[in-house]
Amino acid sequence: MGLRWLPLATQRHLMNTGLCLLLILGSFEAIMGPDLVSNLRDFTGTYGAYLLVASLLFTPLSHRFKWVKRNLWMRRNIGVWGFIYAAAHLVIWIVLEFYFDWALMLDEIKGNLFILLGIFAFFLLVPMALTSNNRAVKFLSFRKWQLLHCLTYLAIPSVIAHHFMAQKTAESEPLFMGLVLILVFIWRYRHVH
Amino acid sequence: MSIKSSAITPEKVYKRRRVLMAAGAGVLGVPLINKAYGLFQDKQEVEAPFPQVVSLPGEKNQPLIPTPYETITTYNNYYEFGVGKDDPSKAAKTLTTSPWSVDIGGEGSDKPGRYDIADIKGESAIENHIYRFRCVEAWSMVIPWNGIKLSDVIKFALPNSKAKYVRFTTINDPQQMPNAGWAGGPYVEGLTIEEAMNPLTLLSTGIYDKPLEQQNGAPIRLVVPWKYGFKYAKSIVKIELVEKMPKNTWWLQNKREYGFYANVNPQFSHPRWTQATERVIGELGRKPTLLYNGYAQEVAHLYPDLDNRLYFY
Ligand code: HEM
């Protein structure tokens, strides 16, 4: 794109600012509706899922498109922002939906596979988010770091399953995301073999 | 902290909530947020034309304040118009609600026929009832309904000994409803004849003295305040008095999650949502959910067994 003349650090800042603004502006729009709690929860959850799926697409697409290959650094920022959106989603659930009422949350989670999948996915994302910086890569060694980040292939399918099951009837959006995910897995499999 | 969640009673939940609200909310300034949020919400305190017909236990001194009209008409579940809460208010204008007729019949009726909506409305006086509306998704509103007693319409259809249940069918027209096919057929709901004859049960034709809007189930919809909202069949085209228990749409969709009776009970949690408390739309925080949504006095006698999950999902 037309921003190549900018130093990489500036490009990064621009991207972070953009995704941060999206979170803020989207939240403003969400609270104007009749039910700010479910609007905020669904906005952050949905966009978090978009970002996480997008972060998975970088590797396969970088083999196809030069532009993606040149901008592979974006993968990390997008993934980390996906985590931040998901964290906001979780905080909204705890604070606005349940008002820190842990007993009630326990009652909600009990036997509720879609929430359990969301929590599972979130906890898998935590170590990856914490190690998304150059220092961590050095500290862990690249191989170990890469191994740790293979967890995305467990976390993101869980997110999609969570998204699908959060609906009361089968909906096309999570199904479509699932399809994209399957294509990524097929590419991975073929690429390795 | 280990709390057996089976031991949760609404009262405990309520007390816990108070303590936690005090702790958590104080820190977060939730009261402030609530106040600021209230500024957006412009609550209408309607008094005169709406006597508070049913006072809820534990809330004797706390009148039910109706939810703003704007909220009631933009936050809807009406899957035939889309699955988002804001879809129906945007998409439902395509539904023509006049002229409208309702087929009344079934093997339990001795006077079946097709009736114009005006004839049905003419059967009894329009009443005003402010009821709490409780959705199975664990949120609630307060709605000032206008409508007629369902029992008057049933009497008019001359029920015979075969009238054990009442089956309601919603209009299902793909030409007028973009997502008409979602359930593979028209939306069907049902009540036992005793539930249908209960004086709380209404066929609503309006809200806030305005004719129903399409997204709220115009021109005529069911209201059964002690049950979860999915029982309130909308835009009704057929009412049948039948011998067998009707197979209602959400039960057919997912038999584990939705039942026929669907009476509100804080003790029986839905697999997706704890039912111990509810979020009141337009307010922050949660309120304890009441048995039969607060209408136990009027309806508890209909159900012999309070411990039977059958009646509460
Ligand atoms: C990786 C983290 C997560 C992501 C990306 C994610 C994403 C999503 C998405 C896309 C939806 C559907 C939104 C819609 O219907 O428009 C959703 C719904 C939901 N999620 Fe998550 N989620 C995550 C974790 C969690 C966690 C940890 C919890 C709670 C502990 C949670 C609770 C919920 C709830 C309650 C819903 C709403 C279901 C409803 O509509 O009733 N999620 N989430």
mmCIF file of all heavy atoms in Angstrom, chain A residues 41-49 52 82 86-87 89-90 93-94 97-98 108-109 114-115 117-122 125 155 159 162-163 166-167 171 173 177, chain B residues 137 272-273, ligand 1:
data_model
loop_
_atom_site.group_PDB
_atom_site.id
_atom_site.type_symbol
_atom_site.label_atom_id
_atom_site.label_comp_id
_atom_site.label_asym_id
_atom_site.label_seq_id
_atom_site.Cartn_x
_atom_site.Cartn_y
_atom_site.Cartn_z
ATOM 1 N N ARG A 41 -20.835 -6.640 24.427
ATOM 2 C CA ARG A 41 -20.334 -8.020 24.478
ATOM 3 C C ARG A 41 -20.230 -8.601 23.068
ATOM 4 O O ARG A 41 -19.211 -9.176 22.700
ATOM 5 C CB ARG A 41 -21.286 -8.860 25.331
ATOM 6 C CG ARG A 41 -20.874 -10.294 25.509
ATOM 7 C CD ARG A 41 -22.044 -11.111 26.029
ATOM 8 N NE ARG A 41 -23.111 -11.137 25.044
ATOM 9 C CZ ARG A 41 -24.404 -11.301 25.331
ATOM 10 N NH1 ARG A 41 -24.801 -11.426 26.574
ATOM 11 N NH2 ARG A 41 -25.297 -11.332 24.367
ATOM 12 N N ASP A 42 -21.262 -8.388 22.268
ATOM 13 C CA ASP A 42 -21.247 -8.989 20.943
ATOM 14 C C ASP A 42 -20.300 -8.268 19.994
ATOM 15 O O ASP A 42 -19.651 -8.903 19.168
ATOM 16 C CB ASP A 42 -22.675 -9.041 20.366
ATOM 17 C CG ASP A 42 -23.557 -10.009 21.147
ATOM 18 O OD1 ASP A 42 -23.016 -10.760 21.982
ATOM 19 O OD2 ASP A 42 -24.788 -10.001 20.934
ATOM 20 N N PHE A 43 -20.201 -6.938 20.138
ATOM 21 C CA PHE A 43 -19.267 -6.205 19.278
ATOM 22 C C PHE A 43 -17.822 -6.651 19.537
ATOM 23 O O PHE A 43 -17.087 -6.986 18.614
ATOM 24 C CB PHE A 43 -19.399 -4.686 19.518
ATOM 25 C CG PHE A 43 -18.215 -3.904 19.048
ATOM 26 C CD1 PHE A 43 -17.935 -3.805 17.689
ATOM 27 C CD2 PHE A 43 -17.364 -3.280 19.956
ATOM 28 C CE1 PHE A 43 -16.821 -3.108 17.242
ATOM 29 C CE2 PHE A 43 -16.253 -2.576 19.522
ATOM 30 C CZ PHE A 43 -15.976 -2.492 18.161
ATOM 31 N N THR A 44 -17.423 -6.675 20.802
ATOM 32 C CA THR A 44 -16.033 -7.044 21.094
ATOM 33 C C THR A 44 -15.776 -8.508 20.736
ATOM 34 O O THR A 44 -14.723 -8.839 20.191
ATOM 35 C CB THR A 44 -15.708 -6.812 22.584
ATOM 36 O OG1 THR A 44 -16.737 -7.418 23.374
ATOM 37 C CG2 THR A 44 -15.621 -5.338 22.899
ATOM 38 N N GLY A 45 -16.735 -9.377 21.009
ATOM 39 C CA GLY A 45 -16.571 -10.799 20.687
ATOM 40 C C GLY A 45 -16.439 -11.012 19.188
ATOM 41 O O GLY A 45 -15.535 -11.703 18.716
ATOM 42 N N THR A 46 -17.321 -10.361 18.432
ATOM 43 C CA THR A 46 -17.325 -10.570 16.984
ATOM 44 C C THR A 46 -16.040 -10.042 16.354
ATOM 45 O O THR A 46 -15.393 -10.744 15.565
ATOM 46 C CB THR A 46 -18.540 -9.848 16.360
ATOM 47 O OG1 THR A 46 -19.710 -10.299 17.048
ATOM 48 C CG2 THR A 46 -18.676 -10.165 14.897
ATOM 49 N N TYR A 47 -15.655 -8.814 16.717
ATOM 50 C CA TYR A 47 -14.444 -8.250 16.107
ATOM 51 C C TYR A 47 -13.187 -8.947 16.600
ATOM 52 O O TYR A 47 -12.223 -9.095 15.854
ATOM 53 C CB TYR A 47 -14.405 -6.724 16.297
ATOM 54 C CG TYR A 47 -15.273 -6.056 15.258
ATOM 55 C CD1 TYR A 47 -16.660 -6.072 15.384
ATOM 56 C CD2 TYR A 47 -14.721 -5.505 14.109
ATOM 57 C CE1 TYR A 47 -17.473 -5.533 14.405
ATOM 58 C CE2 TYR A 47 -15.531 -4.954 13.126
ATOM 59 C CZ TYR A 47 -16.902 -4.978 13.282
ATOM 60 O OH TYR A 47 -17.704 -4.450 12.291
ATOM 61 N N GLY A 48 -13.203 -9.401 17.846
ATOM 62 C CA GLY A 48 -12.077 -10.209 18.338
ATOM 63 C C GLY A 48 -11.908 -11.456 17.489
ATOM 64 O O GLY A 48 -10.798 -11.802 17.071
ATOM 65 N N ALA A 49 -13.032 -12.098 17.184
ATOM 66 C CA ALA A 49 -12.969 -13.319 16.370
ATOM 67 C C ALA A 49 -12.469 -13.004 14.957
ATOM 68 O O ALA A 49 -11.635 -13.733 14.411
ATOM 69 C CB ALA A 49 -14.338 -13.986 16.326
ATOM 70 N N LEU A 52 -8.709 -12.499 15.146
ATOM 71 C CA LEU A 52 -7.960 -13.730 15.384
ATOM 72 C C LEU A 52 -7.918 -14.591 14.118
ATOM 73 O O LEU A 52 -6.869 -15.144 13.776
ATOM 74 C CB LEU A 52 -8.581 -14.504 16.553
ATOM 75 C CG LEU A 52 -8.364 -13.833 17.922
ATOM 76 C CD1 LEU A 52 -9.192 -14.524 19.002
ATOM 77 C CD2 LEU A 52 -6.894 -13.824 18.308
ATOM 78 N N GLY A 82 -6.633 -8.895 18.589
ATOM 79 C CA GLY A 82 -7.699 -9.890 18.736
ATOM 80 C C GLY A 82 -7.818 -10.313 20.188
ATOM 81 O O GLY A 82 -8.924 -10.401 20.746
ATOM 82 N N ALA A 86 -10.897 -9.705 22.806
ATOM 83 C CA ALA A 86 -11.457 -10.850 23.545
ATOM 84 C C ALA A 86 -11.415 -10.570 25.049
ATOM 85 O O ALA A 86 -12.350 -10.913 25.787
ATOM 86 C CB ALA A 86 -10.682 -12.122 23.213
ATOM 87 N N ALA A 87 -10.330 -9.908 25.501
ATOM 88 C CA ALA A 87 -10.229 -9.591 26.921
ATOM 89 C C ALA A 87 -11.322 -8.593 27.313
ATOM 90 O O ALA A 87 -11.952 -8.722 28.371
ATOM 91 C CB ALA A 87 -8.840 -9.029 27.232
ATOM 92 N N HIS A 89 -14.188 -8.342 25.906
ATOM 93 C CA HIS A 89 -15.402 -9.171 25.865
ATOM 94 C C HIS A 89 -15.583 -9.914 27.202
ATOM 95 O O HIS A 89 -16.666 -9.909 27.793
ATOM 96 C CB HIS A 89 -15.191 -10.142 24.699
ATOM 97 C CG HIS A 89 -16.218 -11.173 24.430
ATOM 98 N ND1 HIS A 89 -17.446 -10.895 23.899
ATOM 99 C CD2 HIS A 89 -16.168 -12.525 24.557
ATOM 100 C CE1 HIS A 89 -18.109 -12.033 23.705
ATOM 101 N NE2 HIS A 89 -17.355 -13.044 24.106
ATOM 102 N N LEU A 90 -14.489 -10.471 27.688
ATOM 103 C CA LEU A 90 -14.544 -11.197 28.966
ATOM 104 C C LEU A 90 -14.816 -10.239 30.127
ATOM 105 O O LEU A 90 -15.625 -10.532 31.018
ATOM 106 C CB LEU A 90 -13.217 -11.942 29.173
ATOM 107 C CG LEU A 90 -13.044 -12.699 30.491
ATOM 108 C CD1 LEU A 90 -14.125 -13.751 30.641
ATOM 109 C CD2 LEU A 90 -11.675 -13.365 30.547
ATOM 110 N N TRP A 93 -18.365 -9.264 30.229
ATOM 111 C CA TRP A 93 -19.162 -10.384 30.763
ATOM 112 C C TRP A 93 -19.099 -10.395 32.293
ATOM 113 O O TRP A 93 -20.113 -10.508 32.971
ATOM 114 C CB TRP A 93 -18.624 -11.694 30.173
ATOM 115 C CG TRP A 93 -19.435 -12.904 30.486
ATOM 116 C CD1 TRP A 93 -20.614 -13.258 29.904
ATOM 117 C CD2 TRP A 93 -19.123 -13.926 31.440
ATOM 118 N NE1 TRP A 93 -21.052 -14.451 30.441
ATOM 119 C CE2 TRP A 93 -20.162 -14.885 31.382
ATOM 120 C CE3 TRP A 93 -18.069 -14.135 32.327
ATOM 121 C CZ2 TRP A 93 -20.175 -16.018 32.176
ATOM 122 C CZ3 TRP A 93 -18.078 -15.273 33.117
ATOM 123 C CH2 TRP A 93 -19.126 -16.192 33.045
ATOM 124 N N ILE A 94 -17.895 -10.237 32.829
ATOM 125 C CA ILE A 94 -17.735 -10.296 34.282
ATOM 126 C C ILE A 94 -18.328 -9.064 34.963
ATOM 127 O O ILE A 94 -19.032 -9.168 35.963
ATOM 128 C CB ILE A 94 -16.232 -10.428 34.661
ATOM 129 C CG1 ILE A 94 -15.692 -11.775 34.181
ATOM 130 C CG2 ILE A 94 -16.025 -10.268 36.159
ATOM 131 C CD1 ILE A 94 -14.190 -11.928 34.317
ATOM 132 N N GLU A 97 -22.246 -7.880 32.796
ATOM 133 C CA GLU A 97 -23.302 -8.882 32.726
ATOM 134 C C GLU A 97 -23.520 -9.518 34.102
ATOM 135 O O GLU A 97 -24.649 -9.785 34.491
ATOM 136 C CB GLU A 97 -22.971 -9.938 31.674
ATOM 137 C CG GLU A 97 -24.217 -10.650 31.209
ATOM 138 C CD GLU A 97 -24.083 -11.324 29.855
ATOM 139 O OE1 GLU A 97 -23.147 -11.011 29.108
ATOM 140 O OE2 GLU A 97 -24.927 -12.177 29.564
ATOM 141 N N PHE A 98 -22.443 -9.733 34.846
ATOM 142 C CA PHE A 98 -22.604 -10.441 36.122
ATOM 143 C C PHE A 98 -22.179 -9.663 37.355
ATOM 144 O O PHE A 98 -22.262 -10.188 38.465
ATOM 145 C CB PHE A 98 -21.887 -11.799 36.051
ATOM 146 C CG PHE A 98 -22.665 -12.781 35.230
ATOM 147 C CD1 PHE A 98 -22.349 -13.023 33.912
ATOM 148 C CD2 PHE A 98 -23.767 -13.411 35.770
ATOM 149 C CE1 PHE A 98 -23.111 -13.895 33.140
ATOM 150 C CE2 PHE A 98 -24.529 -14.291 35.019
ATOM 151 C CZ PHE A 98 -24.196 -14.527 33.707
ATOM 152 N N GLU A 108 -23.969 -19.987 35.622
ATOM 153 C CA GLU A 108 -24.117 -19.790 34.177
ATOM 154 C C GLU A 108 -23.198 -20.741 33.394
ATOM 155 O O GLU A 108 -23.585 -21.289 32.371
ATOM 156 C CB GLU A 108 -23.781 -18.334 33.823
ATOM 157 C CG GLU A 108 -23.812 -18.024 32.336
ATOM 158 C CD GLU A 108 -25.084 -17.340 31.878
ATOM 159 O OE1 GLU A 108 -26.063 -17.336 32.642
ATOM 160 O OE2 GLU A 108 -25.088 -16.825 30.748
ATOM 161 N N ILE A 109 -21.982 -20.914 33.912
ATOM 162 C CA ILE A 109 -20.998 -21.720 33.188
ATOM 163 C C ILE A 109 -21.328 -23.211 33.252
ATOM 164 O O ILE A 109 -21.096 -23.955 32.304
ATOM 165 C CB ILE A 109 -19.586 -21.474 33.791
ATOM 166 C CG1 ILE A 109 -19.143 -20.042 33.520
ATOM 167 C CG2 ILE A 109 -18.586 -22.457 33.232
ATOM 168 C CD1 ILE A 109 -17.918 -19.627 34.308
ATOM 169 N N PHE A 114 -20.688 -23.689 25.397
ATOM 170 C CA PHE A 114 -20.196 -22.576 24.569
ATOM 171 C C PHE A 114 -19.378 -21.592 25.398
ATOM 172 O O PHE A 114 -18.345 -21.095 24.932
ATOM 173 C CB PHE A 114 -21.349 -21.922 23.791
ATOM 174 C CG PHE A 114 -21.943 -20.681 24.379
ATOM 175 C CD1 PHE A 114 -21.359 -19.441 24.161
ATOM 176 C CD2 PHE A 114 -23.104 -20.745 25.137
ATOM 177 C CE1 PHE A 114 -21.926 -18.289 24.686
ATOM 178 C CE2 PHE A 114 -23.675 -19.598 25.649
ATOM 179 C CZ PHE A 114 -23.082 -18.365 25.431
ATOM 180 N N ILE A 115 -19.774 -21.372 26.631
ATOM 181 C CA ILE A 115 -18.977 -20.473 27.485
ATOM 182 C C ILE A 115 -17.658 -21.155 27.854
ATOM 183 O O ILE A 115 -16.603 -20.520 27.863
ATOM 184 C CB ILE A 115 -19.758 -20.086 28.752
ATOM 185 C CG1 ILE A 115 -21.027 -19.348 28.342
ATOM 186 C CG2 ILE A 115 -18.889 -19.240 29.686
ATOM 187 C CD1 ILE A 115 -21.237 -18.003 28.916
ATOM 188 N N LEU A 117 -15.963 -23.208 26.135
ATOM 189 C CA LEU A 117 -15.062 -23.108 24.982
ATOM 190 C C LEU A 117 -14.450 -21.711 24.894
ATOM 191 O O LEU A 117 -13.272 -21.567 24.579
ATOM 192 C CB LEU A 117 -15.822 -23.408 23.692
ATOM 193 C CG LEU A 117 -15.979 -24.884 23.350
ATOM 194 C CD1 LEU A 117 -17.036 -25.062 22.264
ATOM 195 C CD2 LEU A 117 -14.660 -25.473 22.895
ATOM 196 N N GLY A 118 -15.260 -20.684 25.175
ATOM 197 C CA GLY A 118 -14.747 -19.314 25.164
ATOM 198 C C GLY A 118 -13.643 -19.134 26.196
ATOM 199 O O GLY A 118 -12.590 -18.565 25.911
ATOM 200 N N ILE A 119 -13.883 -19.663 27.385
ATOM 201 C CA ILE A 119 -12.886 -19.529 28.455
ATOM 202 C C ILE A 119 -11.619 -20.302 28.099
ATOM 203 O O ILE A 119 -10.499 -19.810 28.266
ATOM 204 C CB ILE A 119 -13.484 -20.023 29.789
ATOM 205 C CG1 ILE A 119 -14.622 -19.078 30.219
ATOM 206 C CG2 ILE A 119 -12.418 -20.119 30.868
ATOM 207 C CD1 ILE A 119 -15.415 -19.579 31.399
ATOM 208 N N PHE A 120 -11.814 -21.506 27.584
ATOM 209 C CA PHE A 120 -10.686 -22.338 27.150
ATOM 210 C C PHE A 120 -9.842 -21.571 26.134
ATOM 211 O O PHE A 120 -8.618 -21.446 26.272
ATOM 212 C CB PHE A 120 -11.250 -23.633 26.545
ATOM 213 C CG PHE A 120 -10.226 -24.550 25.963
ATOM 214 C CD1 PHE A 120 -9.308 -25.202 26.781
ATOM 215 C CD2 PHE A 120 -10.201 -24.793 24.588
ATOM 216 C CE1 PHE A 120 -8.376 -26.066 26.239
ATOM 217 C CE2 PHE A 120 -9.269 -25.660 24.038
ATOM 218 C CZ PHE A 120 -8.347 -26.290 24.868
ATOM 219 N N ALA A 121 -10.505 -21.007 25.119
ATOM 220 C CA ALA A 121 -9.794 -20.262 24.082
ATOM 221 C C ALA A 121 -9.052 -19.088 24.683
ATOM 222 O O ALA A 121 -7.886 -18.831 24.379
ATOM 223 C CB ALA A 121 -10.777 -19.782 23.022
ATOM 224 N N PHE A 122 -9.720 -18.376 25.587
ATOM 225 C CA PHE A 122 -9.102 -17.189 26.157
ATOM 226 C C PHE A 122 -7.818 -17.558 26.918
ATOM 227 O O PHE A 122 -6.787 -16.913 26.751
ATOM 228 C CB PHE A 122 -10.086 -16.473 27.080
ATOM 229 C CG PHE A 122 -9.519 -15.211 27.637
ATOM 230 C CD1 PHE A 122 -9.480 -14.067 26.856
ATOM 231 C CD2 PHE A 122 -8.997 -15.160 28.922
ATOM 232 C CE1 PHE A 122 -8.932 -12.894 27.347
ATOM 233 C CE2 PHE A 122 -8.442 -13.991 29.412
ATOM 234 C CZ PHE A 122 -8.411 -12.855 28.624
ATOM 235 N N LEU A 125 -4.980 -18.159 24.749
ATOM 236 C CA LEU A 125 -4.434 -16.957 24.118
ATOM 237 C C LEU A 125 -3.496 -16.192 25.055
ATOM 238 O O LEU A 125 -2.586 -15.510 24.603
ATOM 239 C CB LEU A 125 -5.560 -16.017 23.672
ATOM 240 C CG LEU A 125 -6.443 -16.475 22.520
ATOM 241 C CD1 LEU A 125 -7.542 -15.454 22.264
ATOM 242 C CD2 LEU A 125 -5.625 -16.670 21.246
ATOM 243 N N ALA A 155 -6.660 -22.698 19.844
ATOM 244 C CA ALA A 155 -7.465 -21.603 20.409
ATOM 245 C C ALA A 155 -8.495 -21.088 19.404
ATOM 246 O O ALA A 155 -9.671 -20.913 19.744
ATOM 247 C CB ALA A 155 -6.547 -20.463 20.844
ATOM 248 N N VAL A 159 -12.576 -20.701 19.433
ATOM 249 C CA VAL A 159 -13.319 -19.433 19.311
ATOM 250 C C VAL A 159 -14.473 -19.586 18.321
ATOM 251 O O VAL A 159 -15.603 -19.171 18.592
ATOM 252 C CB VAL A 159 -12.382 -18.286 18.840
ATOM 253 C CG1 VAL A 159 -13.197 -17.072 18.412
ATOM 254 C CG2 VAL A 159 -11.409 -17.915 19.940
ATOM 255 N N HIS A 162 -17.168 -21.615 19.761
ATOM 256 C CA HIS A 162 -17.848 -20.757 20.749
ATOM 257 C C HIS A 162 -18.821 -19.812 20.043
ATOM 258 O O HIS A 162 -19.972 -19.670 20.438
ATOM 259 C CB HIS A 162 -16.776 -19.994 21.521
ATOM 260 C CG HIS A 162 -17.263 -18.838 22.339
ATOM 261 N ND1 HIS A 162 -17.897 -19.003 23.544
ATOM 262 C CD2 HIS A 162 -17.182 -17.498 22.130
ATOM 263 C CE1 HIS A 162 -18.193 -17.804 24.041
ATOM 264 N NE2 HIS A 162 -17.779 -16.876 23.204
ATOM 265 N N HIS A 163 -18.356 -19.189 18.996
ATOM 266 C CA HIS A 163 -19.178 -18.254 18.231
ATOM 267 C C HIS A 163 -20.403 -18.979 17.670
ATOM 268 O O HIS A 163 -21.532 -18.507 17.785
ATOM 269 C CB HIS A 163 -18.315 -17.666 17.108
ATOM 270 C CG HIS A 163 -18.971 -16.569 16.326
ATOM 271 N ND1 HIS A 163 -20.245 -16.111 16.587
ATOM 272 C CD2 HIS A 163 -18.523 -15.837 15.270
ATOM 273 C CE1 HIS A 163 -20.539 -15.137 15.721
ATOM 274 N NE2 HIS A 163 -19.517 -14.964 14.919
ATOM 275 N N ALA A 166 -22.792 -19.999 20.434
ATOM 276 C CA ALA A 166 -23.411 -18.891 21.171
ATOM 277 C C ALA A 166 -24.753 -18.509 20.548
ATOM 278 O O ALA A 166 -25.571 -17.866 21.186
ATOM 279 C CB ALA A 166 -22.484 -17.678 21.177
ATOM 280 N N GLN A 167 -24.976 -18.906 19.294
ATOM 281 C CA GLN A 167 -26.227 -18.577 18.624
ATOM 282 C C GLN A 167 -27.274 -19.630 18.973
ATOM 283 O O GLN A 167 -26.954 -20.781 19.201
ATOM 284 C CB GLN A 167 -26.035 -18.537 17.104
ATOM 285 C CG GLN A 167 -24.738 -17.883 16.659
ATOM 286 C CD GLN A 167 -24.601 -16.456 17.128
ATOM 287 O OE1 GLN A 167 -25.598 -15.756 17.276
ATOM 288 N NE2 GLN A 167 -23.374 -16.027 17.396
ATOM 289 N N GLU A 171 -26.086 -20.230 12.342
ATOM 290 C CA GLU A 171 -25.941 -18.989 11.597
ATOM 291 C C GLU A 171 -24.773 -19.073 10.646
ATOM 292 O O GLU A 171 -23.810 -19.797 10.880
ATOM 293 C CB GLU A 171 -25.757 -17.817 12.557
ATOM 294 C CG GLU A 171 -27.098 -17.212 12.920
ATOM 295 C CD GLU A 171 -26.948 -16.034 13.837
ATOM 296 O OE1 GLU A 171 -26.076 -15.194 13.562
ATOM 297 O OE2 GLU A 171 -27.696 -15.968 14.818
ATOM 298 N N GLU A 173 -22.447 -16.786 9.648
ATOM 299 C CA GLU A 173 -21.144 -16.159 9.849
ATOM 300 C C GLU A 173 -20.109 -17.084 10.506
ATOM 301 O O GLU A 173 -19.024 -17.270 9.969
ATOM 302 C CB GLU A 173 -21.283 -14.857 10.644
ATOM 303 C CG GLU A 173 -19.966 -14.112 10.677
ATOM 304 C CD GLU A 173 -20.057 -12.822 11.464
ATOM 305 O OE1 GLU A 173 -20.567 -11.849 10.916
ATOM 306 O OE2 GLU A 173 -19.622 -12.812 12.627
ATOM 307 N N MET A 177 -16.640 -18.649 8.901
ATOM 308 C CA MET A 177 -15.323 -18.567 9.536
ATOM 309 C C MET A 177 -14.736 -19.964 9.721
ATOM 310 O O MET A 177 -13.529 -20.177 9.576
ATOM 311 C CB MET A 177 -15.426 -17.840 10.877
ATOM 312 C CG MET A 177 -15.688 -16.348 10.699
ATOM 313 S SD MET A 177 -16.313 -15.584 12.185
ATOM 314 C CE MET A 177 -14.844 -14.968 12.905
ATOM 315 N N GLU B 137 -33.684 -15.518 27.656
ATOM 316 C CA GLU B 137 -32.285 -15.098 27.599
ATOM 317 C C GLU B 137 -31.870 -14.300 28.835
ATOM 318 O O GLU B 137 -30.836 -13.631 28.825
ATOM 319 C CB GLU B 137 -32.040 -14.242 26.347
ATOM 320 C CG GLU B 137 -32.270 -14.986 25.044
ATOM 321 C CD GLU B 137 -32.370 -14.068 23.832
ATOM 322 O OE1 GLU B 137 -32.456 -12.842 23.998
ATOM 323 O OE2 GLU B 137 -32.379 -14.585 22.716
ATOM 324 N N ARG B 272 -28.138 -22.550 28.784
ATOM 325 C CA ARG B 272 -27.343 -21.396 28.346
ATOM 326 C C ARG B 272 -27.317 -20.252 29.331
ATOM 327 O O ARG B 272 -26.388 -19.465 29.359
ATOM 328 C CB ARG B 272 -27.931 -20.812 27.065
ATOM 329 C CG ARG B 272 -27.615 -21.572 25.852
ATOM 330 C CD ARG B 272 -28.498 -21.079 24.729
ATOM 331 N NE ARG B 272 -28.318 -21.961 23.611
ATOM 332 C CZ ARG B 272 -27.378 -21.775 22.688
ATOM 333 N NH1 ARG B 272 -26.612 -20.718 22.731
ATOM 334 N NH2 ARG B 272 -27.229 -22.637 21.716
ATOM 335 N N TRP B 273 -28.408 -20.097 30.051
ATOM 336 C CA TRP B 273 -28.524 -18.900 30.884
ATOM 337 C C TRP B 273 -28.967 -19.302 32.282
ATOM 338 O O TRP B 273 -29.955 -20.021 32.447
ATOM 339 C CB TRP B 273 -29.563 -17.927 30.318
ATOM 340 C CG TRP B 273 -29.309 -17.547 28.900
ATOM 341 C CD1 TRP B 273 -28.391 -16.642 28.451
ATOM 342 C CD2 TRP B 273 -29.971 -18.057 27.731
ATOM 343 N NE1 TRP B 273 -28.445 -16.550 27.087
ATOM 344 C CE2 TRP B 273 -29.404 -17.405 26.620
ATOM 345 C CE3 TRP B 273 -30.989 -18.986 27.520
ATOM 346 C CZ2 TRP B 273 -29.817 -17.662 25.312
ATOM 347 C CZ3 TRP B 273 -31.400 -19.241 26.219
ATOM 348 C CH2 TRP B 273 -30.816 -18.583 25.137
HETATM 349 C C1 HEM C 1 -11.006 -15.889 22.724
HETATM 350 C C2 HEM C 1 -11.934 -15.336 23.310
HETATM 351 C C3 HEM C 1 -13.341 -15.119 22.811
HETATM 352 C C4 HEM C 1 -13.809 -14.699 21.589
HETATM 353 C C5 HEM C 1 -12.996 -14.286 20.384
HETATM 354 C C6 HEM C 1 -15.236 -14.684 21.658
HETATM 355 C C7 HEM C 1 -16.074 -14.355 20.610
HETATM 356 C C8 HEM C 1 -17.442 -14.363 20.676
HETATM 357 C C9 HEM C 1 -18.327 -14.155 19.568
HETATM 358 C C10 HEM C 1 -17.883 -13.906 18.148
HETATM 359 C C11 HEM C 1 -19.594 -14.212 20.027
HETATM 360 C C12 HEM C 1 -20.871 -14.062 19.217
HETATM 361 C C13 HEM C 1 -21.339 -12.650 19.262
HETATM 362 C C14 HEM C 1 -22.656 -12.441 18.585
HETATM 363 O O1 HEM C 1 -23.566 -13.253 18.768
HETATM 364 O O2 HEM C 1 -22.798 -11.431 17.900
HETATM 365 C C15 HEM C 1 -19.522 -14.424 21.430
HETATM 366 C C16 HEM C 1 -20.623 -14.483 22.260
HETATM 367 C C17 HEM C 1 -20.521 -14.648 23.616
HETATM 368 N N1 HEM C 1 -19.386 -14.911 24.340
HETATM 369 FE FE1 HEM C 1 -17.504 -14.967 23.631
HETATM 370 N N2 HEM C 1 -15.611 -15.040 22.916
HETATM 371 C C18 HEM C 1 -14.485 -15.324 23.641
HETATM 372 C C19 HEM C 1 -14.421 -15.697 24.955
HETATM 373 C C20 HEM C 1 -15.485 -15.660 25.810
HETATM 374 C C21 HEM C 1 -15.407 -15.841 27.222
HETATM 375 C C22 HEM C 1 -14.126 -16.110 28.002
HETATM 376 C C23 HEM C 1 -16.678 -15.696 27.700
HETATM 377 C C24 HEM C 1 -17.190 -15.766 29.103
HETATM 378 C C25 HEM C 1 -16.627 -16.211 30.109
HETATM 379 C C26 HEM C 1 -17.555 -15.438 26.606
HETATM 380 C C27 HEM C 1 -18.912 -15.234 26.701
HETATM 381 C C28 HEM C 1 -19.748 -14.993 25.658
HETATM 382 C C29 HEM C 1 -21.157 -14.773 25.774
HETATM 383 C C30 HEM C 1 -21.970 -14.777 27.062
HETATM 384 C C31 HEM C 1 -21.651 -14.567 24.494
HETATM 385 C C32 HEM C 1 -23.070 -14.211 24.104
HETATM 386 C C33 HEM C 1 -23.955 -15.297 23.751
HETATM 387 C C34 HEM C 1 -25.356 -14.775 23.570
HETATM 388 O O3 HEM C 1 -25.612 -14.097 22.572
HETATM 389 O O4 HEM C 1 -26.168 -15.032 24.446
HETATM 390 N N3 HEM C 1 -16.793 -15.425 25.468
HETATM 391 N N4 HEM C 1 -18.199 -14.526 21.808
#
